[in-house]
């Protein structure tokens, strides 16, 4: 049996006729830049994100860049973000000439350690940029309280969490501005690169729209220097076909995650972080633990963009190298896809070293980079495929 980490084909095949029709509709319209298709998609997305404004853009990365430009963040400024995240969170901060200041993460929920973020605020801090990693919310009450105390805007990187909630509120619209990605591997996967910016602030939405098209208003009269950050009508027409199924996709992901947690939870040496509060993040390891399963935390919904387990290095592990890497190899041998999100935290990336000098240690991020492994959880995954994954992991843990 082969079980890839992600198979996009069944989801798209099920909607083939509708996708065909959407493609032909745009083809026949001759409208290939912005216009009614884009506006309709933005309105539908604004509802899902619980935001007043949604602005379709060229990618999740460009969404972050556009938000930073809209907030006027630039040289001399600092933005606090996690180190354990996809590169573009911090890459965009650097691209506007500001400095990404890395905070540690919570090893229970994978998200920003807000206490550590608080310790890193300086007079140069201009924004907080939490990430809702793997589809679960960061601890937004603490983030918003910290931001209010220092009068800072909050940028929510919800690239992996379209439609997820914190305390009954949709992610992306809790902070000042938020963003989503429609990269094919995200929970609303597009047909190429695309992204979305959301906000409840009228003035920021207007500025972001201007910057999306070279800061021009009217056309050819430039109030500010923007760029081309537009989403394509062709892209939104196709995405619009999938949008009504987003909830169903999320429910299937959640069912798959629950099934893993039940079956993997029955293996000896398995624990789940579900019952662990994030305050316990520095608590001592149980030496018996072989695999830590991801949990859903109180007040947060999880759309399971990834199902990420942790394989701690345990005593008695004889092999050279990490048991996580060994599990990954063992799964690959049986035709099971997995991925290390992310093998190196950003504060350890060459491009962010200060004159070759490593940044201060962020112990939880470093540990997560060594232990985390994401396994297939996509909506169309079948039970027998999950059983196959579970038995492969079971065999590994026994052996
Ligand atoms: C995917 C991702 C992005 C960037 O989105 P793209 O559409 O790939 O540019 C940003 N942040 C996080 C956390 C992501 O997972």
């Amino acid at each position: 049996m082969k079980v890839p980490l992600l198979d996009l084909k069944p989801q798209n095949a099920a909607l083939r006729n509708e996708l065909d029709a959407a493609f032909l509709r745009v083809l026949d319209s001759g409208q290939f830049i912005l216009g009614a298709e884009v506006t309709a998609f933005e309105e539908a997305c604004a509802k899902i994100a619980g935001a007043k404004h949604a602005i379709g853009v060229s990618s999740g990365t460009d969404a972050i860049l556009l938000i930073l430009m809209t907030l006027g963040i630039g040289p001399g400024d600092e933005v606090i973000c996690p180190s354990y995240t996809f590169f573009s969170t911090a890459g965009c901060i650097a691209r506007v000439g500001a400095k990404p200041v890395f905070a540690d993460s919570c090893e229970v929920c994978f998200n920003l350690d807000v206490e550590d973020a608080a310790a890193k605020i300086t007079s140069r801090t201009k924004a907080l940029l939490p990430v809702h990693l793997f589809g679960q919310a960061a601890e937004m009450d603490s983030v918003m309280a910290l931001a209010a105390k220092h009068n800072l805007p909050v940028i929510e990187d919800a690239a992996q969490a379209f439609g997820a909630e914190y305390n009954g509120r949709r992610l992306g619209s809790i902070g000042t501005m938020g963003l989503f990605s429609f990269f094919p591997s995200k929970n609303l996967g597009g047909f190429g690169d695309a992204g979305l910016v959301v906000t409840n602030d009228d003035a920021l939405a207007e500025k972001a729209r201007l910057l999306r098209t070279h800061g021009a208003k009217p056309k050819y009269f430039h109030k500010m220097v923007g760029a081309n950050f537009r989403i394509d009508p062709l892209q939104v027409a196709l995405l619009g076909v999938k949008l009504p199924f987003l909830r169903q996709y999320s429910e299937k992901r959640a069912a798959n995650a629950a099934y893993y947690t039940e079956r993997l939870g029955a293996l000896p040496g398995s624990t789940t972080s579900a019952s662990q509060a994030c305050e316990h993040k520095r608590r001592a390891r149980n030496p018996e633990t072989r695999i830590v399963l991801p949990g859903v935390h109180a007040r947060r919904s999880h759309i399971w963009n990834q199902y990420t387990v942790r394989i701690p290095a345990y005593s008695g592990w004889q092999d050279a190298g990490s048991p996580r890497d060994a599990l990954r190899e063992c799964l690959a041998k049986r035709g099971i896809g997995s991925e290390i999100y992310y093998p190196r935290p950003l504060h350890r990336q060459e491009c962010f070293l200060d004159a070759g000098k490593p940044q201060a240690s962020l112990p939880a991020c470093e540990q997560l980079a060594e232990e985390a492994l994401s396994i297939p959880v996509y909506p169309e995954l079948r039970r027998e495929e999950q059983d196959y994954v579970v038995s492969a992991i079971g065999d590994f843990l026994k052996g």
Side-chain angles (χ1 to χ4, degrees), residues 186-215:
K186 306 298 162 98
N187 69 310
L188 182 67
F191 305 80
D193 282 307
L196 190 81
V197 169
V198 294
T199 183
N200 286 313
D201 186 299
D202 297 342
L204 291 175
E206 154 110 9
K207 187 172 175 191
R209 278 188 196 283
L210 289 189
L211 288 169
R212 176 174 68 171
T213 307
H214 303 293

mmCIF file of all heavy atoms in Angstrom, residues 186-215:
data_model
loop_
_atom_site.group_PDB
_atom_site.id
_atom_site.type_symbol
_atom_site.label_atom_id
_atom_site.label_comp_id
_atom_site.label_asym_id
_atom_site.label_seq_id
_atom_site.Cartn_x
_atom_site.Cartn_y
_atom_site.Cartn_z
ATOM 1 N N LYS A 186 -2.343 23.632 1.729
ATOM 2 C CA LYS A 186 -3.072 24.231 2.848
ATOM 3 C C LYS A 186 -4.510 23.702 2.872
ATOM 4 O O LYS A 186 -4.956 23.073 1.922
ATOM 5 C CB LYS A 186 -3.064 25.766 2.739
ATOM 6 C CG LYS A 186 -1.676 26.358 2.610
ATOM 7 C CD LYS A 186 -0.800 26.067 3.831
ATOM 8 C CE LYS A 186 0.663 26.261 3.515
ATOM 9 N NZ LYS A 186 1.241 27.506 3.891
ATOM 10 N N ASN A 187 -5.233 23.975 3.948
ATOM 11 C CA ASN A 187 -6.517 23.288 4.111
ATOM 12 C C ASN A 187 -7.585 23.715 3.107
ATOM 13 O O ASN A 187 -8.511 22.958 2.855
ATOM 14 C CB ASN A 187 -7.023 23.361 5.559
ATOM 15 C CG ASN A 187 -7.443 24.744 5.980
ATOM 16 O OD1 ASN A 187 -6.703 25.706 5.799
ATOM 17 N ND2 ASN A 187 -8.631 24.866 6.529
ATOM 18 N N LEU A 188 -7.439 24.907 2.503
ATOM 19 C CA LEU A 188 -8.179 25.186 1.268
ATOM 20 C C LEU A 188 -7.114 25.315 0.186
ATOM 21 O O LEU A 188 -6.526 26.381 0.001
ATOM 22 C CB LEU A 188 -9.032 26.456 1.371
ATOM 23 C CG LEU A 188 -9.846 26.724 0.092
ATOM 24 C CD1 LEU A 188 -10.928 25.665 -0.116
ATOM 25 C CD2 LEU A 188 -10.487 28.112 0.101
ATOM 26 N N GLY A 189 -6.853 24.222 -0.484
ATOM 27 C CA GLY A 189 -5.732 24.159 -1.416
ATOM 28 C C GLY A 189 -6.132 24.661 -2.792
ATOM 29 O O GLY A 189 -7.112 24.207 -3.380
ATOM 30 N N GLY A 190 -5.352 25.600 -3.321
ATOM 31 C CA GLY A 190 -5.645 26.189 -4.621
ATOM 32 C C GLY A 190 -4.937 25.480 -5.755
ATOM 33 O O GLY A 190 -4.440 24.354 -5.607
ATOM 34 N N PHE A 191 -4.878 26.162 -6.879
ATOM 35 C CA PHE A 191 -4.344 25.596 -8.116
ATOM 36 C C PHE A 191 -3.139 26.435 -8.528
ATOM 37 O O PHE A 191 -3.098 27.030 -9.602
ATOM 38 C CB PHE A 191 -5.451 25.574 -9.174
ATOM 39 C CG PHE A 191 -6.677 24.827 -8.668
ATOM 40 C CD1 PHE A 191 -7.594 25.438 -7.810
ATOM 41 C CD2 PHE A 191 -6.869 23.490 -8.995
ATOM 42 C CE1 PHE A 191 -8.684 24.738 -7.314
ATOM 43 C CE2 PHE A 191 -7.954 22.789 -8.493
ATOM 44 C CZ PHE A 191 -8.864 23.407 -7.660
ATOM 45 N N GLY A 192 -2.194 26.494 -7.608
ATOM 46 C CA GLY A 192 -1.051 27.382 -7.750
ATOM 47 C C GLY A 192 -0.952 28.243 -6.507
ATOM 48 O O GLY A 192 -1.547 27.918 -5.476
ATOM 49 N N ASP A 193 -0.236 29.358 -6.606
ATOM 50 C CA ASP A 193 -0.055 30.251 -5.456
ATOM 51 C C ASP A 193 -1.201 31.242 -5.329
ATOM 52 O O ASP A 193 -1.647 31.817 -6.326
ATOM 53 C CB ASP A 193 1.247 31.039 -5.618
ATOM 54 C CG ASP A 193 2.478 30.225 -5.263
ATOM 55 O OD1 ASP A 193 2.499 29.672 -4.147
ATOM 56 O OD2 ASP A 193 3.406 30.154 -6.090
ATOM 57 N N ALA A 194 -1.658 31.447 -4.099
ATOM 58 C CA ALA A 194 -2.678 32.467 -3.835
ATOM 59 C C ALA A 194 -2.783 32.660 -2.328
ATOM 60 O O ALA A 194 -2.402 31.785 -1.550
ATOM 61 C CB ALA A 194 -4.035 32.048 -4.398
ATOM 62 N N GLY A 195 -3.306 33.816 -1.939
ATOM 63 C CA GLY A 195 -3.447 34.105 -0.507
ATOM 64 C C GLY A 195 -4.518 35.145 -0.267
ATOM 65 O O GLY A 195 -5.195 35.602 -1.213
ATOM 66 N N LEU A 196 -4.693 35.501 1.000
ATOM 67 C CA LEU A 196 -5.770 36.422 1.363
ATOM 68 C C LEU A 196 -5.360 37.230 2.589
ATOM 69 O O LEU A 196 -4.757 36.694 3.520
ATOM 70 C CB LEU A 196 -7.028 35.608 1.697
ATOM 71 C CG LEU A 196 -8.326 36.387 1.866
ATOM 72 C CD1 LEU A 196 -8.935 36.683 0.486
ATOM 73 C CD2 LEU A 196 -9.342 35.615 2.703
ATOM 74 N N VAL A 197 -5.717 38.515 2.567
ATOM 75 C CA VAL A 197 -5.523 39.387 3.729
ATOM 76 C C VAL A 197 -6.894 39.722 4.276
ATOM 77 O O VAL A 197 -7.823 39.995 3.505
ATOM 78 C CB VAL A 197 -4.806 40.699 3.304
ATOM 79 C CG1 VAL A 197 -4.826 41.727 4.432
ATOM 80 C CG2 VAL A 197 -3.378 40.409 2.864
ATOM 81 N N VAL A 198 -7.065 39.698 5.591
ATOM 82 C CA VAL A 198 -8.341 40.117 6.177
ATOM 83 C C VAL A 198 -8.104 41.148 7.280
ATOM 84 O O VAL A 198 -7.054 41.155 7.921
ATOM 85 C CB VAL A 198 -9.157 38.934 6.758
ATOM 86 C CG1 VAL A 198 -9.617 37.992 5.668
ATOM 87 C CG2 VAL A 198 -8.387 38.176 7.820
ATOM 88 N N THR A 199 -9.101 42.005 7.482
ATOM 89 C CA THR A 199 -9.057 42.979 8.571
ATOM 90 C C THR A 199 -10.457 43.528 8.817
ATOM 91 O O THR A 199 -11.314 43.478 7.923
ATOM 92 C CB THR A 199 -8.083 44.143 8.255
ATOM 93 O OG1 THR A 199 -8.038 45.028 9.378
ATOM 94 C CG2 THR A 199 -8.513 44.930 7.027
ATOM 95 N N ASN A 200 -10.656 44.041 10.019
ATOM 96 C CA ASN A 200 -11.914 44.734 10.322
ATOM 97 C C ASN A 200 -11.768 46.246 10.222
ATOM 98 O O ASN A 200 -12.719 46.977 10.449
ATOM 99 C CB ASN A 200 -12.394 44.354 11.739
ATOM 100 C CG ASN A 200 -12.948 42.942 11.769
ATOM 101 O OD1 ASN A 200 -13.742 42.566 10.900
ATOM 102 N ND2 ASN A 200 -12.537 42.155 12.733
ATOM 103 N N ASP A 201 -10.561 46.700 9.900
ATOM 104 C CA ASP A 201 -10.257 48.128 9.900
ATOM 105 C C ASP A 201 -10.410 48.699 8.485
ATOM 106 O O ASP A 201 -9.698 48.309 7.556
ATOM 107 C CB ASP A 201 -8.815 48.295 10.410
ATOM 108 C CG ASP A 201 -8.429 49.752 10.584
ATOM 109 O OD1 ASP A 201 -8.451 50.509 9.574
ATOM 110 O OD2 ASP A 201 -8.104 50.138 11.713
ATOM 111 N N ASP A 202 -11.334 49.637 8.320
ATOM 112 C CA ASP A 202 -11.634 50.192 6.988
ATOM 113 C C ASP A 202 -10.410 50.854 6.351
ATOM 114 O O ASP A 202 -10.125 50.665 5.165
ATOM 115 C CB ASP A 202 -12.751 51.243 7.073
ATOM 116 C CG ASP A 202 -14.077 50.647 7.564
ATOM 117 O OD1 ASP A 202 -14.217 49.401 7.513
ATOM 118 O OD2 ASP A 202 -14.942 51.418 8.018
ATOM 119 N N ALA A 203 -9.692 51.667 7.132
ATOM 120 C CA ALA A 203 -8.569 52.419 6.575
ATOM 121 C C ALA A 203 -7.437 51.479 6.157
ATOM 122 O O ALA A 203 -6.820 51.660 5.093
ATOM 123 C CB ALA A 203 -8.067 53.438 7.606
ATOM 124 N N LEU A 204 -7.167 50.461 6.988
ATOM 125 C CA LEU A 204 -6.105 49.515 6.639
ATOM 126 C C LEU A 204 -6.488 48.707 5.404
ATOM 127 O O LEU A 204 -5.653 48.426 4.546
ATOM 128 C CB LEU A 204 -5.810 48.579 7.819
ATOM 129 C CG LEU A 204 -5.141 49.228 9.043
ATOM 130 C CD1 LEU A 204 -5.008 48.215 10.183
ATOM 131 C CD2 LEU A 204 -3.772 49.804 8.682
ATOM 132 N N ALA A 205 -7.774 48.346 5.297
ATOM 133 C CA ALA A 205 -8.228 47.590 4.128
ATOM 134 C C ALA A 205 -8.047 48.424 2.868
ATOM 135 O O ALA A 205 -7.558 47.939 1.839
ATOM 136 C CB ALA A 205 -9.698 47.196 4.298
ATOM 137 N N GLU A 206 -8.407 49.678 2.940
ATOM 138 C CA GLU A 206 -8.277 50.574 1.783
ATOM 139 C C GLU A 206 -6.815 50.721 1.362
ATOM 140 O O GLU A 206 -6.470 50.643 0.186
ATOM 141 C CB GLU A 206 -8.893 51.946 2.171
ATOM 142 C CG GLU A 206 -8.346 53.128 1.415
ATOM 143 C CD GLU A 206 -9.346 53.727 0.437
ATOM 144 O OE1 GLU A 206 -10.510 53.314 0.493
ATOM 145 O OE2 GLU A 206 -8.932 54.587 -0.364
ATOM 146 N N LYS A 207 -5.941 50.883 2.364
ATOM 147 C CA LYS A 207 -4.512 51.036 2.064
ATOM 148 C C LYS A 207 -3.952 49.741 1.462
ATOM 149 O O LYS A 207 -3.178 49.788 0.492
ATOM 150 C CB LYS A 207 -3.754 51.420 3.335
ATOM 151 C CG LYS A 207 -2.308 51.772 3.073
ATOM 152 C CD LYS A 207 -1.619 52.344 4.310
ATOM 153 C CE LYS A 207 -0.140 52.577 4.029
ATOM 154 N NZ LYS A 207 0.615 52.879 5.262
ATOM 155 N N ALA A 208 -4.353 48.595 2.022
ATOM 156 C CA ALA A 208 -3.861 47.311 1.498
ATOM 157 C C ALA A 208 -4.309 47.129 0.048
ATOM 158 O O ALA A 208 -3.563 46.636 -0.797
ATOM 159 C CB ALA A 208 -4.362 46.159 2.370
ATOM 160 N N ARG A 209 -5.549 47.532 -0.264
ATOM 161 C CA ARG A 209 -6.041 47.421 -1.647
ATOM 162 C C ARG A 209 -5.227 48.284 -2.602
ATOM 163 O O ARG A 209 -4.919 47.876 -3.725
ATOM 164 C CB ARG A 209 -7.514 47.837 -1.727
ATOM 165 C CG ARG A 209 -8.458 46.749 -1.328
ATOM 166 C CD ARG A 209 -9.909 47.106 -1.584
ATOM 167 N NE ARG A 209 -10.738 46.179 -0.826
ATOM 168 C CZ ARG A 209 -10.970 44.918 -1.194
ATOM 169 N NH1 ARG A 209 -10.490 44.464 -2.326
ATOM 170 N NH2 ARG A 209 -11.696 44.139 -0.433
ATOM 171 N N LEU A 210 -4.874 49.482 -2.141
ATOM 172 C CA LEU A 210 -4.047 50.357 -2.984
ATOM 173 C C LEU A 210 -2.669 49.743 -3.212
ATOM 174 O O LEU A 210 -2.179 49.685 -4.336
ATOM 175 C CB LEU A 210 -3.882 51.736 -2.318
ATOM 176 C CG LEU A 210 -5.097 52.641 -2.276
ATOM 177 C CD1 LEU A 210 -4.692 54.030 -1.778
ATOM 178 C CD2 LEU A 210 -5.721 52.757 -3.662
ATOM 179 N N LEU A 211 -2.064 49.276 -2.113
ATOM 180 C CA LEU A 211 -0.710 48.715 -2.227
ATOM 181 C C LEU A 211 -0.692 47.456 -3.081
ATOM 182 O O LEU A 211 0.322 47.132 -3.688
ATOM 183 C CB LEU A 211 -0.148 48.420 -0.832
ATOM 184 C CG LEU A 211 0.238 49.653 -0.001
ATOM 185 C CD1 LEU A 211 0.524 49.252 1.443
ATOM 186 C CD2 LEU A 211 1.445 50.363 -0.602
ATOM 187 N N ARG A 212 -1.838 46.745 -3.137
ATOM 188 C CA ARG A 212 -1.922 45.533 -3.949
ATOM 189 C C ARG A 212 -1.721 45.847 -5.433
ATOM 190 O O ARG A 212 -1.273 45.013 -6.206
ATOM 191 C CB ARG A 212 -3.292 44.864 -3.739
ATOM 192 C CG ARG A 212 -3.512 43.642 -4.615
ATOM 193 C CD ARG A 212 -4.789 42.923 -4.283
ATOM 194 N NE ARG A 212 -5.985 43.695 -4.619
ATOM 195 C CZ ARG A 212 -7.226 43.204 -4.573
ATOM 196 N NH1 ARG A 212 -7.417 41.956 -4.198
ATOM 197 N NH2 ARG A 212 -8.265 43.951 -4.873
ATOM 198 N N THR A 213 -2.102 47.059 -5.833
ATOM 199 C CA THR A 213 -1.899 47.463 -7.228
ATOM 200 C C THR A 213 -1.051 48.737 -7.279
ATOM 201 O O THR A 213 -1.546 49.815 -7.601
ATOM 202 C CB THR A 213 -3.253 47.647 -7.941
ATOM 203 O OG1 THR A 213 -4.017 46.448 -7.768
ATOM 204 C CG2 THR A 213 -3.069 47.884 -9.430
ATOM 205 N N HIS A 214 0.203 48.603 -6.884
ATOM 206 C CA HIS A 214 1.200 49.676 -7.037
ATOM 207 C C HIS A 214 0.841 50.981 -6.344
ATOM 208 O O HIS A 214 1.328 52.041 -6.729
ATOM 209 C CB HIS A 214 1.469 49.952 -8.533
ATOM 210 C CG HIS A 214 1.922 48.737 -9.274
ATOM 211 N ND1 HIS A 214 3.132 48.126 -9.038
ATOM 212 C CD2 HIS A 214 1.299 47.982 -10.223
ATOM 213 C CE1 HIS A 214 3.249 47.068 -9.821
ATOM 214 N NE2 HIS A 214 2.159 46.945 -10.546
ATOM 215 N N GLY A 215 -0.023 50.954 -5.357
ATOM 216 C CA GLY A 215 -0.345 52.176 -4.619
ATOM 217 C C GLY A 215 -1.017 53.240 -5.465
ATOM 218 O O GLY A 215 -0.971 54.424 -5.139
#
